[in-house]
Amino acid sequence: MKHRATKHKWSKKRNVNIFFIFFFLMIRRPPRSTLFPYTTLFRSSLSAQLVMARDALLAHQNHMNTISHNVANVSTLGYHRQRTILGARQGNPGVNGMYGSGVGVLGIERSQVAFISNQERLDASLTGRWSTQYDSMMRVEEALNEISENGIGGALDAFWNSWEDLANDADSSALRTDVMNKAEDLGYAFASTYGNMDSQREQINVQMRGHVEGVNLIAGRIANLNQQIVSLSTSGQAPNDLLDQRELLLRDLATLVNINVEFDENGAANVYLGSEEIVHRDSNRELKWQEADDPSMGKGAGRVVWTDTKREVDISGGMIFGLQETRDKIGEILGELDSLADVIRDQVNGIHVEGIGLDGTTGNIFFRDDVSGARSLEVSNEIRENVDKIASSRVSPTGANDLAHEMFELQNATPFGNNLTINGKYQTMVSNIGSATQNAGLRLETAQAALVQTENLQQQYTGVSLDEEMSAMITAQYAFTAASKIFNAQSSN
């Protein structure tokens, strides 16, 4: 019924109708305990419709805000898509039954698949381990310097060949000088290779120490975010963006070390390193680089221990573990180099002391025997001072070459057993290093492929799709426009 132009003038018929409505309600009023509130009439009035229209405007505006937040973070690393959850409010009882009371915001949901996030951390840990190990082993291969003639392999060949040259001219002092020079080149190749590898091992210790500090920093930040997340969650707010930040930190931590994560009922992430907790709610424990006087681990060596208990940390994954494995591998290689150098020293000296030098002296050692190891394969002082002490024969200082021939054939001797020659022993070492490097490279490719696959799956479930957000924005805009028209129409009545 339309209002008349004259304000507050009602027809008699309408007054009678209103009277009968109130009379009908009064005579049918149930007992007071079950009486509908008189606000029922108010809620079905124009004011109730205005409230519903207003709440619809606010709800759809909230929805559009969330969509805008998603679009703005489409390229943000680690961002998880958010969604405003709208729900119909509980209906209210009326004269003719229940009627609706509009829409409300139930919350803002963050897209999350726990299994995918956990798998992403596992893949990140494997990638961290093998990427570090592959890079380190590549540098170890470079330290061997076998791509040039200055490596141990080339120096060995040159040393043996110098004895063959001497055998062809057993009385030559110049060729004896060449033998000495080639021996010094061999010693330099051993010392240089050892030094390069030892430097790599020292650098690994520096990297490990830095990563330990990184673990402590990340663990502290996770504990701080736990505190903020729990505080917001218990107050009824959704800490979605903080959860994204924490998820990124957990992945960074997994890249460094092997971790397991458990979430409690308040949303805090409790992080385990090995079997021990490193983060518990809003507190964290720290790791320490404890220096160790162990030559097998190189200069600046150390172990990772818990600061509070001093126990060694059980690390079995991540970049720190990859570095630790490479450091141990380098220690094995250096031990083999020491053993090989000592065998060469002993084999050469054992033959040479039986020979007669060009100057007629006997019992001269060729390499120093008062030192040992790859860094100390040095020509003896006697030979340095007088190359004519180099023997070419056991029977005569001149005109014979039996010892020089034996020295040349020493390269085919098998002092290691299993038909393994000196050169063969070294080539086996080189081959093993190459195999270890190749294996690390293949493992890295596999780990990276798995990580990319998991990241794509994560993006599929939790990433922002601009097409989907555009569609949702259009729907929200239409709903907002419709609600505003209802509000305006009711306001004008």
Side-chain angles (χ1 to χ4, degrees):
M1 179 184 295
K2 296 183 179 179
H3 292 293
R4 295 180 184 276
T6 305
K7 193 175 184 180
H8 299 304
K9 291 187 178 180
W10 299 75
S11 68
K12 292 182 179 180
K13 184 177 180 180
R14 181 165 183 172
N15 291 334
V16 170
N17 288 340
I18 293 176
F19 171 77
F20 277 112
I21 289 173
F22 277 100
F23 178 76
F24 177 77
L25 291 173
M26 292 300 294
I27 64 175
R28 293 176 59 83
R29 185 174 68 176
R32 186 172 299 275
S33 60
T34 60
L35 182 64
F36 294 137
Y38 286 112
T39 55
T40 298
L41 290 175
F42 170 77
R43 291 182 182 278
S44 62
S45 67
L46 296 178
S47 297
Q49 295 178 30
L50 284 172
V51 170
M52 282 192 288
R54 181 204 65 189
D55 291 347
L57 286 172
L58 294 175
H60 293 298
Q61 184 182 43
N62 191 309
H63 188 194
M64 288 190 289
N65 288 340
T66 302
I67 294 171
S68 298
H69 188 52
N70 287 337
V71 172
N73 288 280
V74 65
S75 299
T76 300
L77 181 65
Y79 180 78
H80 287 224
R81 183 182 67 255
Q82 299 179 21
R83 185 166 65 98
T84 299
I85 308 300
L86 303 178
R89 287 177 174 168
Q90 185 176 359
N92 291 304
V95 176
N96 295 318
M98 302 289 289
Y99 62 89
S101 59
V103 67
V105 177
L106 302 181
I108 300 178
E109 183 184 73
R110 172 178 176 266
S111 300
Q112 170 75 5
V113 182
F115 169 77
I116 297 177
S117 297
N118 183 60
Q119 187 62 44
E120 193 171 16
R121 288 191 291 271
L122 291 174
D123 292 339
S125 184
L126 285 173
T127 301
R129 170 189 176 182
W130 292 114
S131 64
T132 303
Q133 193 164 341
Y134 177 68
D135 291 342
S136 299
M137 289 304 299
M138 285 287 289
R139 290 194 291 271
V140 169
E141 271 196 313
E142 293 173 0
L144 287 175
N145 200 24
E146 285 305 304
I147 59 176
S148 72
E149 296 180 356
N150 297 323
I152 293 176
L156 273 171
D157 291 338
F159 178 65
W160 304 132
N161 291 335
S162 68
W163 283 104
E164 184 181 32
D165 292 339
L166 180 61
N168 294 329
D169 188 359
D171 297 341
S172 172
S173 294
L175 290 177
R176 282 176 166 77
T177 300
D178 185 59
V179 169
M180 184 189 71
N181 289 338
K182 293 300 189 291
E184 289 184 332
D185 290 344
L186 179 61
Y188 176 81
F190 267 98
S192 176
T193 300
Y194 193 102
N196 289 338
M197 287 194 180
D198 199 30
S199 295
Q200 291 297 330
R201 186 168 57 172
E202 180 183 352
Q203 184 61 34
I204 285 175
N205 284 325
V206 173
Q207 288 180 269
M208 290 179 67
R209 185 169 192 163
H211 288 327
V212 168
E213 296 174 359
V215 168
N216 291 336
L217 179 62
I218 294 173
R221 293 176 63 187
I222 292 173
N224 182 52
L225 283 173
N226 275 344
Q227 183 180 21
Q228 298 178 58
I229 289 169
V230 171
S231 177
L232 289 174
S233 297
T234 53
S235 64
Q237 301 182 59
N240 293 329
D241 294 322
L242 295 179
L243 291 173
D244 288 344
Q245 295 176 32
R246 188 179 68 184
E247 190 65 39
L248 274 178
L249 289 174
L250 288 171
R251 173 171 166 165
D252 290 343
L253 186 59
T255 303
L256 294 176
V257 289
N258 52 295
I259 61 169
N260 290 312
V261 184
E262 295 180 359
F263 299 94
D264 63 22
E265 64 279 2
N266 293 322
N270 299 316
V271 185
Y272 291 83
L273 173 50
S275 60
E276 300 191 49
E277 254 184 331
I278 186 172
V279 177
H280 180 74
R281 296 185 179 178
D282 60 350
S283 63
N284 66 286
R285 298 169 66 192
E286 291 194 343
L287 309 183
K288 179 183 178 181
W289 180 255
Q290 187 177 68
E291 294 186 358
D293 186 16
D294 187 347
S296 67
M297 294 192 295
K299 185 178 179 180
R303 294 182 174 86
V304 184
V305 300
W306 294 102
T307 301
D308 49 6
T309 63
K310 310 301 181 185
R311 289 196 300 267
E312 189 167 356
V313 182
D314 181 18
I315 298 177
S316 59
M319 298 178 73
I320 293 180
F321 185 63
L323 290 170
Q324 181 177 300
E325 284 190 310
T326 306
R327 184 183 67 181
D328 294 343
K329 182 67 176 177
I330 291 176
E332 295 174 5
I333 296 170
L334 293 181
E336 292 180 351
L337 280 178
D338 283 336
S339 175
L340 179 61
D342 289 342
V343 167
I344 293 173
R345 176 186 293 107
D346 293 343
Q347 292 290 315
V348 170
N349 283 347
I351 295 174
H352 195 269
V353 294
E354 297 175 356
I356 305 171
L358 190 62
D359 64 351
T361 59
T362 60
N364 297 314
I365 59 171
F366 189 87
F367 288 113
R368 289 179 58 187
D369 59 359
D370 57 336
V371 290
S372 63
R375 288 173 293 186
S376 303
L377 186 61
E378 301 173 358
V379 176
S380 66
N381 293 330
E382 293 84 352
I383 301 294
R384 286 175 184 272
E385 294 171 358
N386 184 4
V387 295
D388 287 343
K389 292 185 178 296
I390 295 177
S392 63
S393 173
R394 289 186 176 87
V395 297
S396 172
T398 60
N401 61 5
D402 57 288
L403 187 144
H405 272 304
E406 189 174 347
M407 283 290 194
F408 175 71
E409 293 297 330
L410 189 58
Q411 61 183 309
N412 298 317
T414 57
F416 303 99
N418 298 321
N419 295 321
L420 192 61
T421 64
I422 292 176
N423 287 42
K425 174 66 173 178
Y426 179 71
Q427 292 303 322
T428 299
M429 289 174 53
V430 174
S431 177
N432 289 340
I433 294 172
S435 297
T437 304
Q438 184 179 25
N439 178 64
L442 293 174
R443 296 290 186 92
L444 174 59
E445 289 180 5
T446 302
Q448 287 177 330
L451 180 59
V452 169
Q453 184 177 9
T454 306
E455 287 175 339
N456 291 338
L457 193 61
Q458 181 78 274
Q459 186 68 18
Q460 178 182 341
Y461 281 97
T462 67
V464 176
S465 168
L466 292 179
D467 291 338
E468 292 179 4
E469 298 303 320
M470 181 62 69
S471 177
M473 176 64 77
I474 292 173
T475 301
Q477 284 178 331
Y478 277 132
F480 184 87
T481 302
S484 65
K485 288 181 179 181
I486 295 174
F487 186 86
N488 291 334
Q490 298 298 340
S491 298
S492 63
N493 289 334

